[in-house]
Structure formats: structure tokens, C-alpha cells
């Protein structure tokens, strides 16, 4: 699963944060949010939960415009998603964080974007 990860370079391990994307998917403003959390001492993971639909799941800025081609493309992917595989992905990300030296093992901090 393609995942954007950031954390401070020194001073860890850091508490993990799972930053979940909203419907429009991964975009620069979510990466910026992840970077901001990373700079204040968190191990931030921003997974592309649309990865099962293939590599072409990054959408242009007009994904937020009602009726745009990008929004239609995103909606076609989003409507096929179901909760059980997403929860499996969340569990896998938490297990991954527990295996990383830069992430503090054990209880995770979690954040959702909706």
C-alpha cells in the first residue's frame, strides 16, 4: 500500500499517527498536514486507501469540483470501497508502525480526516 510517511529525523521513537484521507484521496494539502504533525514529534502515516483500484488513484485539483471528470473518476473508485478491507489496512498500518524503529511501539495515536 502506497503510504506517505514523515517524522522528525532525531529524538525518537515518536508516537504514531494514522492520518486517513478523505474522499478526494491523497493530495498535497494532506501531505502538508502530515508534515506539520511530523515536525511536532509524531510518526505520521498517510496511506492511499484507494490502492486496490491501481496506481492511477491520484486525482487532480478539480476532484473537488462538482461534476468534473476527476470527481467522477474518484467516485467510481470510492463507491467500490467497503469497510472490512479498510479496517484490515488500518490494522496492517498499526502493525507496520510497531515494527519501525522511529515509531514508539504500543498504543497509537489516531487521526481521521472525513
Amino acid at each position: 500500500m502506497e503510504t506517505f510517511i514523515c517524522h522528525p529525523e532525531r529524538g525518537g521513537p515518536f508516537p504514531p499517527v494514522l492520518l486517513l484521507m478523505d474522499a478526494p484521496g491523497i493530495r498535497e494539502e494532506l501531505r502538508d498536514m502530515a508534515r506539520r504533525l511530523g515536525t511536532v514529534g509524531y510518526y505520521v502515516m498517510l496511506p492511499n486507501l484507494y490502492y486496490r483500484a491501481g496506481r492511477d488513484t491520484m486525482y487532480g485539483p478539480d476532484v473537488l469540483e462538482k461534476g468534473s471528470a476527476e470527481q467522477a473518476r474518484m467516485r467510481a473508485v470510492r463507491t467500490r470501497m467497503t469497510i472490512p478491507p479498510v479496517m484490515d489496512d488500518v490494522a496492517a498500518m498499526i502493525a507496520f508502525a510497531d515494527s519501525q524503529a522511529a515509531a514508539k511501539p504500543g498504543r497509537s495515536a489516531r487521526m481521521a480526516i472525513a
Side-chain angles (χ1 to χ4, degrees):
M1 171 180 1
E2 181 182 349
T3 303
F4 181 79
I5 296 176
C6 59
H7 56 81
E9 292 181 17
R10 295 181 293 277
F14 307 101
V17 171
L18 183 56
L19 180 60
L20 299 178
M21 64 188 212
D22 55 357
I26 303 298
R27 55 197 184 283
E28 196 57 33
E29 63 193 301
L30 294 184
R31 288 186 194 95
D32 286 343
M33 286 180 191
R35 286 183 195 103
R36 285 195 303 264
L37 289 168
T39 62
V40 296
Y42 292 96
Y43 182 93
V44 185
M45 300 172 289
L46 174 60
N48 179 2
L49 297 174
Y50 291 154
Y51 76 97
R52 287 183 179 85
R55 302 282 293 163
D56 189 28
T57 56
M58 298 294 178
Y59 306 103
D62 63 337
V63 70
L64 300 173
E65 294 178 24
K66 188 174 183 174
S68 71
E70 286 290 90
Q71 187 180 62
R73 196 166 68 89
M74 175 273 297
R75 289 177 64 105
V77 169
R78 189 192 75 210
T79 57
R80 290 192 306 263
M81 288 182 70
T82 60
I83 293 172
V86 171
M87 295 309 295
D88 290 344
D89 293 341
V90 168
M93 293 304 300
I94 291 170
F96 174 80
D98 284 345
S99 74
Q100 300 302 298
K104 189 179 291 183
R107 196 170 173 99
S108 297
R110 295 179 186 91
M111 174 185 274
I113 301 295

